[in-house]
Amino acid sequence: AIAQRERSIRTNGNLVIGSQEMTRSSLKTEFVSFYLDDETYENLHAQRLDNDIYVLDNSPFYTYDVSNRDEVIAKLVNGRLIFQSVSRRGGHSTYRVKLLKGKSHEDFLEKFSELEKLGCTYEGTGGNERRLYAIDLPPKVNVADVYSILESEEEAGNWEFEEAHFFKGYDA
């Protein structure tokens, strides 16, 4: 028998599963582990939608090819939820910024204000001397505009950046 699951639909940032609307806060947060190599993994926050399907609820700092709000398949292995594959894209893209030595969080915030105006959000790592930030680009953000700002600030010597995942669109 083939198992079917009802598609989840998002309305106003909430999930509608079947006929039941759920806010992010009403879903239990779990961790899905993404292996970076044989021994190292990154845990991403996620909420279970159905059986082995989870929706990611933060941006990755080290993992490539997934973004916030992607639906992923994860299997329980030795007590840990292990990423298997992407089930459905959430429409977000992820870029990462690493501050250059001598640059502060305040320097980042000053430069990030341009990205924030475009609709981006970020998560950041703590107090090492080269802070790392995961930049989330929701579906309606113009990626070319964001890329231009990231590139300009890299050329100005404020940070290094990389593309962790670029959402190409549902028709790509």
Side-chain angles (χ1 to χ4, degrees):
I2 297 175
Q4 281 190 319
R5 82 174 178 94
E6 296 181 40
R7 296 298 299 167
S8 62
I9 302 168
R10 288 171 186 74
T11 60
N12 298 326
N14 296 335
L15 292 173
V16 178
I17 301 174
S19 61
Q20 181 180 7
E21 185 169 328
M22 305 173 108
T23 63
R24 284 186 185 182
S25 62
S26 69
L27 296 172
K28 179 183 172 202
T29 298
E30 303 191 48
F31 291 102
V32 174
S33 296
F34 290 76
Y35 274 89
L36 306 173
D37 58 38
D38 289 341
E39 299 175 4
T40 310
Y41 57 87
E42 177 177 15
N43 287 328
L44 295 181
H45 296 200
Q47 286 94 30
R48 173 178 266 164
L49 294 180
D50 186 32
N51 294 332
D52 297 334
I53 299 178
Y54 298 82
V55 61
L56 298 179
D57 197 27
N58 70 311
S59 297
F61 286 96
Y62 303 102
T63 302
Y64 290 90
D65 301 323
V66 295
S67 286
N68 186 29
R69 310 316 295 160
D70 283 352
E71 292 178 16
V72 300
I73 297 171
K75 302 283 185 190
L76 194 60
V77 178
N78 297 325
R80 180 184 304 278
L81 284 171
I82 305 296
F83 168 78
Q84 304 296 308
S85 63
V86 174
S87 169
R88 183 171 166 256
R89 295 291 182 186
H92 291 238
S93 296
T94 303
Y95 286 82
R96 289 192 276 258
V97 165
K98 190 169 194 174
L99 294 185
L100 297 182
K101 195 173 183 175
K103 298 293 181 181
S104 69
H105 179 64
E106 289 71 27
D107 294 325
F108 170 78
L109 290 176
E110 181 182 319
K111 305 302 179 189
F112 181 76
S113 65
E114 290 181 69
L115 298 171
E116 187 175 37
K117 288 175 191 171
L118 297 175
C120 297
T121 60
Y122 75 91
E123 296 177 54
T125 60
N128 63 20
E129 107 182 8
R130 293 194 62 202
R131 289 178 181 245
L132 179 64
Y133 299 89
I135 311 293
D136 177 49
L137 287 66
K140 293 183 177 160
V141 170
N142 184 319
V143 175
D145 290 345
V146 170
Y147 195 93
S148 176
I149 293 168
L150 293 171
E151 193 172 50
S152 173
E153 293 302 330
E154 182 176 69
E155 289 169 0
N158 292 310
W159 58 45
E160 297 171 339
F161 83 97
E162 68 176 357
E163 183 177 276
H165 171 250
F166 170 64
F167 176 70
K168 294 173 182 65
Y170 294 106
D171 298 327

